[in-house]
Amino acid sequence: MRFRQVHLDFHTSEAIAGIGSRFSKEQFQAMLRKGHVDSVTVFSKCHHGWAYHPSEANETHPGLGFDLLGAQIEAAHDIGVKTPVYISAGLDEKLARRRPEWLIRKRNEATQWAPDFLTPGYHEFCMNTPYLDVLLAQIEEVAQRYEADGIFLDIVGVRECYCQSCVASIRAEGGDPRDAEAMKTLWERTYARYADAANRAVWKHKPGLPVFHNGGHITRGRRDLAFKNTHLELESLPTGGWGYDHFPLSARYAQTLGIDYLGMTGKFHTSWGEFGGYKHPNALRYETALSLANGARCSIGDQLHPEGAMDEATYALIGAAYAEVEAKELWCDGVESVADVALLSLEAQEAHLHGAPKSRSVPADAGAVRMLLEGKLLFDVVDRDADFARYRVVVLPDGVCVDDALRDKLEPFLRSGGKVLATGASGLTPAGDAFALRLGARWVEANPYRPSYFRPSFAIAGLPEASYVVYGQGQRVALADGGAAHGARENPYFNRDVFAFCSHQHTPSALASDGPGMTEGEDGIYIAWNVFEDYAKKGSLALRETVLYALERLLPNRTLRTNLPAQGVVTVQKQAKRNRWVAHLLYASPVRRGDGVEVIEDLLPLRDVAVRIAASAPVKDVYLAPSGEKLPFVQEGGTIRCTVPEFTAHAMVVLQF
């Protein structure tokens, strides 16, 4: 798997003529070189449904007069660039209008993506229809005829569908389409059948060829779905709706799975399909560095003009980032994360319990990752199949109940000295009426007051003692089992109501303790609110400092400490085959412009960044990569201390053992 990929979209309407008319082998190669690209995903079939090569299994775009796919593969291979081939699996707009009965249907018969046929847009196909056979023939044709370096199948996943094929299938099995659980089983089976058949269609002709099935998100806790792929491509365009918090959350989970993965961003100012949109080069420099820091390779999305000429401005933009990636690759290959904390994903918990999370957006996971990043903790995001023994603290965010299986998994971890941080309804039994862990608390009831208040017994960011509002759902608890309280929970005079309300937002605290708000027991610490979801939505400094205080108590001898500012990101990757650790320091400040678009423009240099890393083995050398600049260091008491004099965007501090 290469480090510097471009995903070259080519979704091109049949209403445009002259397709590929300006394609030039020399210009194509020149732009790939300009962009420092070593892999480019090129198109067999687009969302409009057309093939970009001669085809018996599909129809060639009516405006194309030659084998564009073959020409691109030849041009790229001649200069040593790999060419995975893209096939639009879930969308085929030309066929959608011919075979609307094969499309996914919602319960109300609306179609997926575009809701009807009078709205411009695509319509997604159901894989439980004869469409699957059409698609498999297209996949097999490409695998057989072209020297593809991989197959990328787009717009697929476990989909809700009430088309007549799905209704007939469930009824033929004696089921009822009104039975949601029976339908879920069918949808799961439909996706598994598609993925297995697609893989066989490829490997029949090219055994072991990389295959990726893209659904736009890797569901945490669904390893069975992840392992349908030979590798993962983590689609995460910060300006396209994903935001800058999404990729670290996704990548910190992907690295635990043990398969290759890359981070996919885009060159666009907004998102896919934006012609004439360019983000600032500094944004791509940061985003690709963030991929490397999280153990990932890189992919940047682009869209080729219908006439086939590569855009020079785009490849100047990509080249600014990929030149830096190329220089850093030697320190980023074959790495595994160094982590103190395991965040047991709430999405993974929901996937375990229900097969799928309620939504792709899980605020508790996002808020927890944001706090851990800002606190400069080294962490992984894990599911219930992870090896907890690799970590020193397991975080259960907001809604992770502890059933017998999870309790049995946590027990040896706790006996060996590990600790748990649980928040909100986490740590409770599945019945939700008692704690399954010894957290110094006895559950009383879900707090009927919301919001409520936390008065900590420790300082918050140097502020005097105060009652801090917490908007998330709280729990009423009492001390138990010799537990210690680290602050009190206070309630408002009353909940806001039409007949009793106070001021603009919510009622103030009645300033009377209603029991502990944070407890500590033999197994760890409990915080009595959904603090991570709250932080994702409100960003309260008091909540972040409360969580970091708890983690400091549970993890006093953490692996890394640094004075990097809150917006900074730090990871440590172990490169065992080269006998070294690489600490990645990143810093950028995204700003919001327009309607929800996060932009990075200015990259400000940071100076005198102190780094302290716990490592018991003797260190021979500490230096910055790729420059090789030596850093003076002190190693004593199992700790290495050094200072990075200055860096912009990304620094790699190498500890050579």
Side-chain angles (χ1 to χ4, degrees):
M1 193 177 196
R2 300 290 183 91
F3 270 94
R4 291 166 277 118
Q5 181 164 292
V6 161
H7 186 94
L8 189 60
D9 259 9
F10 198 52
H11 305 295
T12 307
S13 169
E14 63 278 5
I16 298 175
I19 305 304
S21 59
R22 293 177 55 224
F23 173 80
S24 155
K25 178 178 181 179
E26 293 74 20
Q27 197 262 354
F28 189 72
Q29 293 174 331
M31 291 302 101
L32 294 177
R33 289 191 179 104
K34 188 180 190 72
H36 293 257
V37 176
D38 62 10
S39 178
V40 57
T41 301
V42 289
F43 267 44
S44 163
K45 174 192 173 187
C46 73
H47 290 343
H48 294 273
W50 302 109
Y52 294 93
H53 54 87
S55 175
E56 282 81 55
N58 198 0
E59 298 174 39
T60 304
H61 192 292
L64 179 66
F66 68 104
D67 186 349
L68 178 59
L69 174 64
Q72 289 173 324
I73 291 174
E74 178 185 339
H77 283 180
D78 281 357
I79 59 172
V81 174
K82 296 282 190 181
T83 55
V85 173
Y86 176 101
I87 297 173
S88 177
L91 304 177
D92 184 328
E93 194 57 21
K94 72 172 180 342
L95 193 59
R97 292 182 176 273
R98 300 173 188 171
R99 291 288 190 177
E101 70 275 16
W102 293 353
L103 297 175
I104 287 175
R105 297 286 175 166
K106 299 180 182 179
R107 286 180 68 98
N108 65 358
E109 284 293 306
T111 50
Q112 185 110 309
W113 284 53
D116 52 49
F117 281 95
L118 292 178
T119 303
Y122 305 115
H123 302 81
E124 188 172 355
F125 278 87
C126 174
M127 298 298 179
N128 189 34
T129 67
Y131 173 71
L132 177 59
D133 293 329
V134 174
L135 174 63
L136 293 174
Q138 295 168 351
I139 294 170
E140 191 166 340
E141 181 179 71
V142 171
Q144 187 173 15
R145 293 186 179 182
Y146 290 94
E147 291 303 314
D149 295 303
I151 299 293
F152 185 105
L153 297 161
D154 204 8
I155 319 298
V156 291
V158 179
R159 301 288 199 250
E160 287 191 14
C161 182
Y162 291 89
C163 74
Q164 291 307 303
S165 291
C166 287
V167 170
S169 291
I170 205 69
R171 294 191 70 196
E173 296 170 6
D176 188 329
R178 292 163 294 192
D179 180 348
E181 291 305 312
M183 293 302 287
K184 284 180 184 178
T185 301
L186 172 66
W187 301 329
E188 290 276 350
R189 207 165 60 235
T190 295
Y191 177 71
R193 185 172 64 248
Y194 145 77
D196 292 342
N199 290 343
R200 286 195 301 270
V202 174
W203 296 335
K204 174 181 177 181
H205 303 284
K206 301 282 176 59
L209 192 71
V211 180
F212 179 63
H213 306 269
N214 185 43
H217 176 68
I218 305 301
T219 302
R220 297 180 288 282
R222 291 300 306 269
R223 292 186 176 217
D224 57 328
L225 300 183
F227 293 150
K228 295 293 185 186
N229 306 288
T230 58
H231 66 286
L232 302 177
E233 305 199 18
L234 309 181
E235 188 176 1
S236 185
L237 281 66
T239 57
W242 284 263
Y244 278 96
D245 283 343
H246 176 267
F247 179 73
L249 170 55
S250 190
R252 296 294 351 108
Y253 177 67
Q255 192 168 17
T256 70
L257 299 179
I259 57 178
D260 288 338
Y261 60 104
L262 56 79
M264 180 186 288
T265 183
K267 70 95 179 182
F268 315 105
H269 174 64
T270 58
S271 193
W272 300 107
E274 182 187 53
F275 293 99
Y278 304 86
K279 64 177 50 167
H280 196 283
N282 283 342
L284 272 189
R285 291 176 60 205
Y286 177 79
E287 290 159 21
T288 52
L290 188 63
S291 283
L292 298 180
N294 282 283
R297 311 298 174 94
C298 306
S299 179
I300 298 174
D302 178 27
Q303 174 139 355
L304 184 65
H305 189 276
E307 294 182 354
M310 301 276 269
D311 180 56
E312 187 168 0
T314 292
Y315 289 87
L317 171 62
I318 292 172
Y322 273 175
E324 295 182 2
V325 172
E326 186 173 13
K328 298 171 182 175
E329 290 171 8
L330 188 63
W331 292 269
C332 302
D333 188 26
V335 298
E336 59 181 287
S337 71
V338 176
D340 294 323
V341 177
L343 172 66
L344 181 53
S345 162
L346 181 56
E347 180 185 49
Q349 174 78 351
E350 291 179 351
H352 171 78
L353 294 175
H354 309 297
K358 299 170 186 174
S359 166
R360 283 189 179 184
S361 174
V362 183
D365 285 355
V369 165
R370 173 45 50 196
M371 284 192 188
L372 292 168
L373 289 171
E374 292 176 356
K376 307 301 173 283
L377 276 299
L378 300 180
F379 69 96
D380 288 335
V381 177
V382 304
D383 55 29
R384 291 167 59 120
D385 292 325
D387 179 9
F388 293 168
R390 296 186 62 239
Y391 308 98
R392 296 158 67 191
V393 174
V394 172
V395 177
L396 308 180
D398 293 358
V400 180
C401 66
V402 179
D403 56 20
D404 290 344
L406 182 55
R407 173 71 192 182
D408 290 345
K409 190 175 179 69
L410 284 168
E411 273 293 351
F413 167 76
L414 294 167
R415 283 198 304 269
S416 66
K419 297 294 182 182
V420 165
L421 172 61
T423 64
S426 289
L428 297 173
T429 62
D433 58 1
F435 281 100
L437 302 172
R438 295 159 297 208
L439 300 171
R442 175 177 59 84
W443 186 80
V444 177
E445 65 175 347
N447 193 355
Y449 292 98
R450 185 174 178 184
S452 53
Y453 296 83
F454 179 48
R455 183 178 290 271
S457 59
F458 50 89
I460 294 286
L463 295 174
E465 182 181 343
S467 295
Y468 296 93
V469 65
V470 185
Y471 294 95
Q473 176 63 53
Q475 305 292 323
R476 293 187 68 222
V477 299
L479 284 178
D481 303 322
H486 294 294
R489 186 188 64 259
E490 298 174 357
N491 292 323
Y493 291 99
F494 43 79
N495 283 329
R496 190 174 180 87
D497 181 76
V498 64
F499 298 117
F501 65 90
C502 181
S503 194
H504 296 290
Q505 291 195 56
H506 48 260
T507 312
S509 172
L511 302 178
S513 174
D514 188 42
M518 178 175 172
T519 64
E520 184 168 2
E522 185 178 344
D523 291 342
I525 290 177
Y526 172 71
I527 302 172
W529 289 272
N530 291 353
V531 294
F532 295 121
E533 178 182 4
D534 199 325
Y535 194 68
K537 294 179 177 179
K538 299 287 188 180
S540 166
L541 173 65
L543 295 189
R544 186 190 73 188
E545 293 302 302
T546 296
V547 168
L548 296 183
Y549 174 82
L551 288 169
E552 185 65 29
R553 289 189 64 84
L554 300 175
L555 192 61
N557 300 312
R558 53 202 270 191
T559 299
L560 180 140
R561 293 184 186 274
T562 178
N563 61 351
L564 198 63
Q567 194 63 37
V569 172
V570 60
T571 67
V572 176
Q573 299 289 344
K574 178 181 179 181
Q575 208 174 20
K577 65 183 179 182
R578 300 184 186 275
N579 201 29
R580 63 194 179 200
W581 286 12
V582 181
H584 294 262
L585 310 175
L586 298 101
Y587 182 76
S589 295
V591 297
R592 189 171 292 257
R593 291 185 185 162
D595 184 11
V597 178
E598 292 185 72
V599 172
I600 290 175
E601 183 172 346
D602 299 317
L603 291 175
L604 303 179
L606 296 184
R607 297 180 177 86
D608 299 325
V609 177
V611 179
R612 192 174 81 180
I613 299 177
S616 56
V619 171
K620 298 176 182 177
D621 198 9
V622 178
Y623 63 93
L624 293 175
S627 70
E629 177 187 346
K630 303 287 187 182
L631 293 180
F633 69 96
V634 174
Q635 183 170 15
E636 57 184 10
T639 300
I640 297 98
R641 297 195 307 274
C642 65
T643 299
V644 179
E646 181 176 320
F647 78 91
T648 300
H650 183 211
M652 297 193 299
V653 179
V654 182
L655 277 61
Q656 187 69 56
F657 295 99

